[in-house]
């Protein structure tokens, strides 16, 4: 049943091309009719010849010519219809394969991080490619070959009953045997094939995971064990695939046997009927023709159906991804915010990841436009999570977050994210040119604007020293640049975006002190005039913040300016003290700013 529903959906994807599909269906019905006409004509010719002794020469020729003329017409229209069907079906299948890939890609790009966090990206690629290929081959095979088979079985078979019901019943029996065997084997193999597909996806995901971390694999000399892990999954695929293959081999043996038996039965039954005068030689020849034709088509159809079974899980996975919905839906009538002034309020915000423990409780703060707030606290305290709520990667489970007085759930995601810029610890770059990476910040920026932003971000100098300047390719995730260079590009990108609200999540923690000092200058330029949230472990970087929020276990336990907090002698003062003692021996020549 699920199987049928799945393929109903596969065909429904062609809704936009429904007129082409309808044309193809009509042409297929005509083809099926023509196919059945040929054995009929053949039988008639045989009958004309076998009655030749009782008619005059001219009568025989007259009848034979009429039949042959009809036969040629049938043959020619058959060729025409086949060509039309092939051409149309090819084009329709190709077009829709690309369209479905495109819509899948568009959909997946927009899915929330919660979705992407749970699934390997290699798997998503595999599901797209395999799914689209499967859809393509089904559409093509269905409209080019098998629709006519189904039409023949459903509509034309009863017609043979009208010609000679005894022989017709035999053919009908053949179809029933094929259908029963196939249905039985589908049932036997469906689950196993689903497992096979699951392991195939795991294969793709595992390979992509290892390939994208190839440096770790090599430096920890994990090549052999990664390859072994891959081999294990390959074995699982085979273990589940082979029983399925066995079942389908049984099907082909059984259907072959059924075909041979049918041909023999028609011959025997035909002879008996002929001896009783209940069937002409021509009728028997026609039925033999039908039987051959039907067997040929049915075998093709069984192969097609077995392929459907093999492909069903891949297609089901494809649809599963297409059905994944965003966890942060846009409310109907959400307002599109223009440029916000940048007032951010967290109002009694509580949050837990789906199915997880409480991460944030009662988080309450207010950031006026242009002010700088710092979020500090131990690792895992919930700082990044709070900022994820501000970008609406997730919705709070209690309380609300507002921007310029609007609950984030009331504004469009596009306008929210246009107003909020983020610089992460790991500056994520595309494997494109430096210029293209910068243009992500503002697609319509001119070269002058790019250079100005890069000068402010202290990036211009190193960019022009690159072999092709702004047109240098940065490698996968910016691999050909140093950490500090990547970070300054990320800052330039944020400068170009020019958002009123800015989040710096450990933006400088990957850098050495000298680079950090340069990047700090760049950051100061970036922060000017924006509401800024700084998350930092190095407390020296938060000295100038207007307010510091100290997080602990998902709550704000202290707040105030740097000096007030140090004087208070609470958690923050303790953190500052531990950092000073921990870093003192290492930075003897270069005192930490916090200690000044
Ligand atoms: N996507 C996620 N799914 C489930 N739990 C998560 C997810 N991201 C973070 N957490 C959990 O939420 C808690 C808070 O994490 P968060 O990243 O907000 O901490 P943080 O204060 O930013 O820490 P750090 O200073 O190390 O960056 C952690 O216990 C973490 O395990
Ligand atoms: Mg964090």
């Amino acid at each position: 049943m699920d199987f049928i529903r799945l393929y109903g959906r596969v065909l429904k994807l062609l809704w936009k091309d429904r007129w082409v599909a309808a044309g193809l269906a009509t042409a297929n019905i005509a083809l099926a009719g023509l196919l059945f006409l040929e054995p009929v004509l053949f039988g008639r010719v045989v009958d004309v010849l076998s009655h030749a002794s009782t008619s005059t020469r001219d009568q025989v020729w007259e009848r034979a010519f009429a039949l042959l003329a009809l036969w040629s017409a049938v043959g020619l229209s058959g060729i025409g219809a086949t060509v039309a069907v092939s051409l149309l079906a090819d084009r329709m299948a190709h077009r829709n394969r690309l369209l479905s890939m495109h819509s899948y890609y568009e959909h997946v790009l927009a899915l929330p991080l919660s979705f992407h966090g749970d699934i390997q990206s290699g798997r998503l690629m595999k599901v797209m490619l395999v799914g689209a290929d499967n859809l393509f081959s089904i559409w093509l095979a269905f409209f080019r070959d098998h629709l006519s088979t189904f039409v023949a079985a459903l509509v034309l078979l009863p017609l043979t009953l009208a010609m000679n019901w005894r022989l017709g019943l035999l053919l009908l029996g053949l179809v029933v045997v094929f259908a029963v065997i196939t249905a039985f084997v589908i049932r036997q193999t469906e689950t196993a094939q689903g497992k096979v597909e699951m392991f195939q996806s795991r294969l793709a995901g595992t390979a992509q995971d290892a390939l994208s971390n190839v440096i770790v694999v090599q430096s920890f000399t994990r090549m052999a064990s990664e390859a072994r892990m891959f081999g294990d999954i390959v074995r699982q695929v085979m273990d589940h695939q082979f029983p399925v293959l066995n079942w389908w081999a049984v099907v082909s043996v059984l259907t072959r046997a059924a075909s041979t038996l049918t041909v023999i039965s028609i011959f025997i039954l035909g002879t008996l009927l002929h001896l009783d005068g209940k069937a002409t030689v021509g009728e028997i020849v026609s039925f033999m023709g039908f039987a051959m034709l039907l067997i040929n088509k049915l075998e093709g159809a069984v192969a097609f159906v077995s392929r459907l079974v093999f492909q069903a899980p891949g297609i089901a996975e494809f649809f599963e991804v297409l059905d994944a919905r965003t966890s942060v839906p846009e409310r109907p009538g959400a307002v599109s915010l223009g440029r916000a002034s940048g007032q951010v309020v967290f109002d009694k915000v509580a949050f837990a990841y789906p199915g997880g423990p409480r991460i944030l409780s009662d988080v309450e703060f207010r950031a006026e436009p242009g002010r700088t707030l710092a979020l500090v606290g131990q690792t895992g305290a919930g700082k990044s999570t709070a900022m994820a709520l501000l970008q609406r990667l997730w919705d709070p489970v209690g309380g609300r977050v507002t921007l310029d007085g609007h609950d984030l759930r009331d504004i469009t995601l596009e306008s929210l994210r246009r107003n909020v810029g983020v610089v992460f610890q790991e500056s994520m770059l595309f494997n494109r040119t430096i210029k293209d990476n910068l243009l992500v910040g503002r697609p319509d920026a001119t070269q002058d604007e790019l250079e100005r932003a890069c000068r402010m971000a202290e990036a211009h100098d190193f960019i022009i020293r690159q072999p092709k300047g702004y047109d240098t390719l940065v490698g996968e995730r910016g691999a050909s640049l140093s950490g500090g260079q990547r970070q300054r590009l990320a800052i330039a990108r944020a400068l170009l975006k020019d958002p009123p609200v800015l989040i710096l999540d450990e933006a400088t923690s990957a850098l050495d002190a000298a680079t950090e000092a340069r990047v700090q200058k760049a950051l100061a330029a970036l922060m000017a005039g924006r509401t800024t949230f700084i998350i930092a472990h190095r407390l020296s970087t938060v000295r100038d913040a207007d307010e510091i929020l100290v997080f602990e276990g998902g709550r704000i336990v202290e707040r105030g300016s740097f000096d007030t907090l140090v004087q208070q002698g609470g958690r923050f003062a303790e953190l500052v003290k531990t950092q000073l003692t921990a870093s003192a021996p290492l930075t003897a020549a270069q005192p930490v700013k916090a200690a000044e």
Side-chain angles (χ1 to χ4, degrees):
M1 196 54 221
D2 272 348
F3 189 73
I4 293 170
R5 209 172 313 132
L6 184 72
Y7 284 101
R9 191 164 169 190
V10 169
L11 291 181
K12 230 194 269 164
L13 284 181
L14 297 179
W15 184 244
K16 274 206 206 107
D17 269 334
R18 57 190 178 280
W19 295 116
V20 184
L24 281 169
T26 318
N28 268 296
I29 293 174
L31 268 178
L34 293 180
L35 271 180
F36 265 69
L37 223 65
E38 282 201 320
V40 173
L41 288 171
F42 192 42
R44 287 284 157 80
V45 172
V46 171
D47 274 345
V48 168
L49 292 179
S50 59
H51 293 133
S53 51
T54 57
S55 333
T56 65
R57 250 182 130 80
D58 282 349
Q59 277 172 329
V60 172
W61 274 118
E62 200 181 312
R63 284 184 206 142
F65 262 131
L67 285 171
L68 291 176
L70 188 57
W71 203 337
S72 326
V74 165
L76 284 179
S77 19
I79 293 171
T82 311
V83 171
V85 164
S86 305
L87 283 179
L88 278 177
D90 269 2
R91 277 175 170 62
M92 185 174 74
H94 272 289
R95 189 170 50 243
N96 283 284
R97 170 176 170 271
L98 294 170
L99 285 178
S100 60
M101 251 159 71
H102 188 222
S103 57
Y104 175 97
Y105 181 64
E106 210 172 9
H107 174 76
V108 165
L109 278 183
L111 282 174
L113 292 187
S114 54
F115 176 87
H116 288 281
D118 289 345
I119 194 164
Q120 295 154 313
S121 50
R123 216 182 138 131
L124 282 175
M125 280 292 293
K126 178 256 167 192
V127 170
M128 173 171 87
L129 295 177
V130 171
D133 273 352
N134 288 355
L135 288 174
F136 169 78
S137 65
I138 288 173
W139 287 326
L140 194 63
F142 184 72
F143 281 103
R144 213 160 62 174
D145 299 319
H146 300 295
L147 183 54
S148 66
T149 310
F150 294 120
V151 173
L154 284 178
V155 181
L156 298 173
L157 211 52
L159 292 184
T160 62
L161 284 173
M163 278 180 65
N164 186 317
W165 66 269
R166 293 181 182 85
L167 290 169
L169 271 184
L170 262 178
L171 288 185
L172 203 58
L174 180 71
V175 173
V176 171
V177 169
F178 268 64
V180 169
I181 296 177
T182 314
F184 176 74
V185 173
I186 288 180
R187 202 153 266 214
Q188 295 299 313
T189 52
E190 230 179 342
T191 332
Q193 191 58 35
K195 288 233 177 73
V196 170
E197 204 58 37
M198 190 193 79
F199 285 117
Q200 301 267 32
S201 297
R202 197 176 289 173
L203 213 56
T206 311
Q208 198 265 347
D209 200 23
L211 288 177
S212 63
N213 287 308
V214 74
I215 298 183
V216 181
V217 173
Q218 296 193 350
S219 75
F220 284 81
T221 54
R222 297 275 302 166
M223 284 82 82
S225 63
E226 285 295 327
R228 201 173 326 116
M229 220 158 89
F230 193 80
D232 285 344
I233 306 176
V234 167
R235 247 185 311 283
Q236 308 234 50
V237 173
M238 286 196 285
D239 285 350
H240 286 86
Q241 186 71 83
F242 285 176
V244 177
L245 295 178
N246 291 345
W247 270 112
W248 285 103
V250 171
V251 170
S252 79
V253 171
L254 288 181
T255 50
R256 237 338 117 69
S259 316
T260 312
L261 281 178
T262 309
V263 173
I264 294 173
S265 314
I266 288 180
F267 192 67
I268 296 173
L269 185 63
T271 312
L272 290 175
L273 289 175
H274 182 64
L275 292 178
D276 285 354
K278 286 184 184 135
T280 65
V281 177
E283 269 175 4
I284 298 168
V285 171
S286 290
F287 269 91
M288 281 299 214
F290 282 149
M292 295 304 198
L293 192 70
L294 206 59
I295 286 166
N296 193 328
K297 286 253 147 196
L298 284 178
E299 279 179 354
V302 169
F304 175 62
V305 171
S306 78
R307 219 169 66 211
L308 294 188
V309 174
F310 283 105
Q311 294 177 337
I315 292 175
E317 266 188 325
F318 186 84
F319 286 145
E320 223 169 78
V321 174
L322 277 186
D323 289 342
R325 286 284 155 253
T326 169
S327 53
V328 284
E330 217 163 64
R331 207 177 267 179
V335 291
S336 171
L337 216 55
R339 187 178 170 83
S341 66
Q343 185 209 48
V344 173
V345 177
F346 271 57
D347 182 9
K348 291 208 172 58
V349 169
F351 180 72
Y353 287 101
R358 213 21 100 84
I359 302 289
L360 296 176
S361 323
D362 249 343
V363 172
E364 196 151 352
F365 60 81
R366 168 184 290 266
E368 294 302 340
R371 309 274 283 176
T372 300
L373 261 66
L375 285 70
V376 303
Q378 279 166 349
T379 164
K383 309 176 294 288
S384 298
T385 304
M387 290 300 105
L389 298 185
L390 175 53
Q391 299 162 68
R392 205 166 173 234
L393 303 179
W394 304 89
D395 278 333
V397 295
R400 56 190 208 131
V401 183
T402 64
L403 173 61
D404 282 12
H406 298 278
D407 191 320
L408 297 189
R409 285 169 283 212
D410 294 335
I411 44 189
T412 61
L413 274 176
E414 192 278 325
S415 69
L416 169 66
R417 296 193 179 149
R418 187 159 28 79
N419 275 292
V420 179
V422 193
V423 180
F424 301 96
Q425 173 169 3
E426 219 358 273
S427 44
M428 298 157 200
L429 299 178
F430 293 99
N431 187 5
R432 300 176 191 166
T433 63
I434 290 180
K435 184 172 171 179
D436 285 339
N437 270 293
L438 291 167
L439 287 175
V440 169
R442 195 195 307 158
D444 57 357
T446 61
Q447 182 65 26
D448 275 353
E449 286 171 319
L450 291 186
E451 289 184 15
R452 193 150 31 119
C454 288
R455 282 208 179 84
M456 282 171 81
E458 305 270 336
H460 182 68
D461 290 345
F462 89 75
I463 294 174
I464 51 174
R465 281 200 306 273
Q466 297 293 314
K468 287 192 184 158
Y470 279 81
D471 293 319
T472 310
L473 278 172
V474 302
E476 192 146 38
R477 278 169 296 155
S480 68
L481 300 175
S482 78
Q485 290 173 337
R486 281 203 291 272
Q487 207 57 332
R488 280 175 278 164
L489 276 190
I491 292 170
R493 185 167 66 180
L495 271 169
L496 282 164
K497 183 176 177 183
D498 187 27
V501 178
L502 180 68
I503 301 171
L504 305 175
D505 192 343
E506 303 281 359
T508 59
S509 59
L511 310 178
D512 64 81
T515 318
E516 188 184 4
R518 294 195 75 180
V519 173
Q520 282 294 357
K521 252 175 82 189
L523 281 178
L526 178 57
M527 287 157 61
R530 305 175 207 280
T531 312
T532 308
F533 296 90
I534 303 182
I535 301 181
H537 282 294
R538 244 179 273 180
L539 299 178
S540 54
T541 48
V542 304
R543 209 190 150 89
D544 299 329
D546 296 301
E547 190 178 17
I548 295 172
L549 309 170
V550 183
F551 277 72
E552 202 171 279
R555 291 173 186 277
I556 300 178
V557 291
E558 277 175 26
R559 62 180 78 207
S561 72
F562 192 92
D563 293 331
T564 340
L565 287 175
V566 170
Q567 272 161 26
Q568 262 178 21
R571 290 290 300 131
F572 186 73
E574 222 172 279
L575 282 174
V576 172
K577 218 153 75 195
T578 37
Q579 268 195 14
L580 284 185
T581 28
S583 55
L586 293 174
T587 53
Q590 190 223 1
V592 175
K593 279 189 215 138
E596 285 162 4

